[in-house]
Structures are given as structure tokens and as C-alpha cells.
Amino acid sequence: MQQYREFQFILRTLAPVFIGNGETYKQREYIYENNKYYFPNFVTLYQKLAAKPRQQEAFENYLMSSRRQEKNERLGEFLRRIDFTDRDLGGYAIERTGAEVDVGVDPDRLNEIAKFIKDPQGQPYIPGSSLKGAIRTILLNTRFGYEEPHWGGKDDIFHNIRVSDSEPLALSSLIIAKKWDYNKRKPDPNPLPLTRECLKPFTKVTFTITTVGDEAADLINGLSKAADEFYKQYEARFLKDLDPKYQQHGYNHPIYLGGGSGLWTKANYGKIDLDRIRDDTPRRMKMKGNGVFKLTKAKRVAYKLRSVKQNLVAENSGKRDTEANIGFYEMGRCCFSVKEKK
């Protein structure tokens, strides 16, 4: 019988990380007030509005209306218009950081906000499948010579690496972050109309990895070294051509997780055919060169990582708004430690 072994995997986000659930908050589903984005429980909101039939009717008409003026009216604006001031509506709020919109833009002018995945109790978490996918990318590019191992059945090595969902995280670990693309042909990153709920930099996330058999255990025991090797490949394939001021440096065992981190953090390099990708992509969306660098903005965070015994800063030296202490981050960048449980 093959031996089961357990490992504790501790992830530290070094940049905003987005794991979506496929849904979004539209402008009629959240309130921006007092420097917070508030996402009320709509059942509670409707129950309280129902206490006054005229407010209830106005709310139903507001939700159903297709008229442009009412369709573009935000929830906070609507509630103020009908003099509904109660904000004890359940749900949760996310503090504004100043990085949600570009400088000079009204913070209440966001488009849809992509939702971070949450458990049945409403707490954010990272599914084990997301972490396992990132681990798989590292191992395919460093331990299998670009040759994908056997899939399915008893010979599937990844079947013998079982990753738990993370422990639940506090809602206070969420921020709202905007997508930015950096093209080396242009002087500055370009803001895009895509906004996401993300884990903030330096969030600690804990997983359990269970391995079956010696080969799977050896792969996890060697994962830190493999991650460092994969990062060197990533630098050679993609980062070397980019302005270094938009890159984050100095962290042991990097790993990229979640949506928006870019092709080169997720691919099996031995199987990438850029010409075919370009041929299969509509003309206006064709990738130029190796593609654009996926960035986002957040507040700069200073912290200490015991494993390297030095002060590190979870940001880079790129262009920033010095007054708000905001910097660019590589989307989805994390580091980790892994240790077998005794």
C-alpha cells in the first residue's frame, strides 16, 4: 500500500490575487459611501423597503427599468432619491484604497466588479484546484521536460497530489483592484475597464497537501526549488524584455495564482505555439510579441518574511502616486513555503 503524507503549504500574496466565481456586482448592486464599497444583502434590503409600499414599488421599478436614465442610476443614488437612509442591510463592505480608479476619476464610477469566490458562509477562500493548477504548471516546466505525464487512472501523478481548499479568509482581506496592461512599446501602463475583488498584498493563506506514494511526496518536497527554476524560465521567456521598474524582485519561491496573471505564468512552455495563437485570434485582438505584462495597483505594504531574514516590500519601484503611497504590482504574484507535517 502506498504511503499517505501531509504537507502544510503557506502562501503569501505579494500582489493582488483574483479567484473569480464567474459573477459580477453591477452598479445597481453596491453602494459607494463614506470611502467604502458596500455590498448589501438584497433580501434584507427588499424586506426593509417592503415596510413602505411606495418605496417597495419604486425599488421594483428601478430594478426592472430599461430607461437609460434609470438604468445608469447607481444603487446609492436611487436610495438617496427615495430618502432611504438605513444601511443596516447585512452583506459586507470593502474600504477604498485609492487604487480602484485612475487619478482624478470619481471612485463611484466603477464598471462591474468581478466577485471573488466565497464559501457558503460568505468568506473568501482559494480553491485547492487553483493552487494545484499553479503547482502543475511549475512541475510541467521543470520536472517533466515539457512532456505532460500520463493523465487519468492509477498512473496519473497529479492524482496523487491532493490539494485542499484554503482555510477561510476574512472579508477584510479583500480590496478592489483595477486591471492595467503594460506594453513595452508604450511608455506607461494602460488602465482597462475591468475591476475585481482581490486578496490584498501580504495575505497569509494556508492549505494542506496530501500525497500518495514516494514520487508525489518527492515532487512536493522539491517544489520550492522547482518554483525558483520556473521563475528563471519566466524571466528568460517574458520578463527580460520589459522595463524592470514594473517587476517585483527578491522573493523566495515565487508562484503566480488566479486570473489576470498572463499567459507565461500558466503555460507549458514546450507546447506554446505563438504563431498558431496569433492565427486563431481575431485581428484586433492579436498578441504582439510575447504579449503584454499584466499589472494592477494597490497600496504599498512593508513587511518582514522570516524565511529570508530581511525586510522586504510588497511592491516594486515603478511609477506611483507618491501622495497616496500606491504602486504597481504583478497581478497574482505570491511566494510560499511548504513543510511536511510530522
Side-chain angles (χ1 to χ4, degrees):
M1 178 180 291
Q2 291 186 313
Q3 183 181 10
Y4 285 77
R5 292 158 70 175
E6 281 196 346
F7 298 79
Q8 183 184 58
F9 186 102
I10 296 178
L11 183 85
R12 286 284 189 181
T13 63
L14 299 176
V17 171
F18 172 67
I19 311 289
N21 71 352
E23 299 177 354
T24 61
Y25 288 111
K26 297 177 174 57
Q27 61 191 28
R28 297 185 184 189
E29 297 177 286
Y30 67 90
I31 304 166
Y32 177 74
E33 287 178 342
N34 302 318
N35 287 321
K36 294 181 180 180
Y37 295 91
Y38 178 38
F39 306 92
N41 182 311
F42 261 60
V43 173
T44 303
L45 172 60
Y46 186 81
Q47 288 174 340
K48 291 195 173 186
L49 286 168
K52 295 183 178 181
R54 293 184 66 179
Q55 288 186 338
Q56 177 186 4
E57 182 180 3
F59 184 57
E60 292 171 350
N61 290 336
Y62 165 69
L63 293 179
M64 298 294 291
S65 175
S66 60
R67 292 173 54 193
R68 176 172 295 183
Q69 182 177 355
E70 293 181 357
K71 189 175 180 179
N72 292 335
E73 186 177 26
R74 296 175 181 269
L75 179 59
E77 295 170 337
F78 165 76
L79 294 178
R80 289 188 287 273
R81 176 165 63 83
I82 65 170
D83 296 323
F84 183 85
T85 58
D86 189 348
R87 295 296 183 267
D88 184 17
L89 304 171
Y92 63 97
I94 297 177
E95 294 276 354
R96 181 194 173 204
T97 65
E100 296 85 359
V101 295
D102 203 1
V103 177
V105 177
D106 184 346
D108 194 20
R109 297 294 104 179
L110 297 180
N111 290 319
E112 297 177 355
I113 301 172
K115 297 182 183 180
F116 197 93
I117 191 168
K118 302 176 183 70
D119 65 19
Q121 286 71 47
Q123 301 300 114
Y125 75 103
I126 296 179
S129 57
S130 295
L131 176 58
K132 186 171 181 178
I135 292 172
R136 173 184 175 275
T137 298
I138 290 170
L139 294 177
L140 284 178
N141 283 285
T142 60
R143 295 296 179 263
F144 293 100
Y146 301 147
E147 292 297 326
E148 295 200 17
H150 179 79
W151 292 104
K154 64 180 182 180
D155 296 326
D156 184 348
I157 186 59
F158 290 108
H159 178 73
N160 293 335
I161 298 174
R162 302 170 186 180
V163 184
S164 73
D165 292 343
S166 78
E167 295 179 0
L169 302 167
L171 285 164
S172 59
S173 65
L174 293 177
I175 59 172
I176 294 174
K178 188 177 183 64
K179 176 181 170 68
W180 294 70
D181 279 355
Y182 172 61
N183 187 327
K184 68 177 183 179
R185 296 174 178 81
K186 298 181 180 179
D188 297 308
N190 178 46
L192 298 177
L194 179 59
T195 312
R196 304 167 167 129
E197 287 186 324
C198 296
L199 295 181
K200 66 177 66 171
F202 200 52
T203 300
K204 179 181 177 181
V205 192
T206 303
F207 301 81
T208 296
I209 297 178
T210 303
T211 61
V212 183
D214 292 339
E215 182 183 5
D218 289 345
L219 288 172
I220 298 303
N221 270 319
L223 186 61
S224 298
K225 183 178 179 181
D228 294 339
E229 292 176 15
F230 176 60
Y231 185 71
K232 291 179 181 178
Q233 295 179 24
Y234 178 50
E235 284 185 310
R237 288 287 189 116
F238 184 65
L239 295 180
K240 66 180 178 61
D241 295 327
L242 300 172
D243 191 328
K245 74 179 180 181
Y246 295 114
Q247 302 171 29
Q248 293 176 253
H249 298 287
Y251 308 105
N252 288 350
H253 321 320
I255 188 170
Y256 289 83
L257 203 64
S261 60
L263 166 69
W264 297 100
T265 68
K266 298 179 181 295
N268 181 343
Y269 288 4
K271 293 186 177 295
I272 290 181
D273 184 342
L274 289 180
D275 290 333
R276 181 177 178 183
I277 291 173
R278 294 187 185 103
D279 289 342
D280 292 343
T281 304
R283 183 172 182 178
R284 64 184 180 86
M285 300 173 63
K286 283 190 185 299
M287 186 170 72
K288 295 180 175 60
N290 283 337
V292 296
F293 197 18
K294 307 297 185 178
L295 302 174
T296 189
K297 276 186 177 181
K299 280 191 173 182
R300 297 186 167 219
V301 181
Y303 58 85
K304 189 170 185 177
L305 289 178
R306 294 179 183 175
S307 62
V308 292
K309 298 181 180 178
Q310 59 180 310
N311 287 318
L312 299 175
V313 180
E315 43 86 2
N316 56 26
S317 57
K319 181 180 176 183
R320 64 168 176 161
D321 177 346
T322 54
E323 292 184 4
N325 197 29
I326 289 170
F328 280 109
Y329 290 75
E330 296 182 33
M331 189 71 195
R333 179 157 181 162
C334 305
C335 64
F336 69 90
S337 65
V338 60
K339 184 178 181 180
E340 186 168 1
K341 296 181 180 181
K342 300 302 182 183

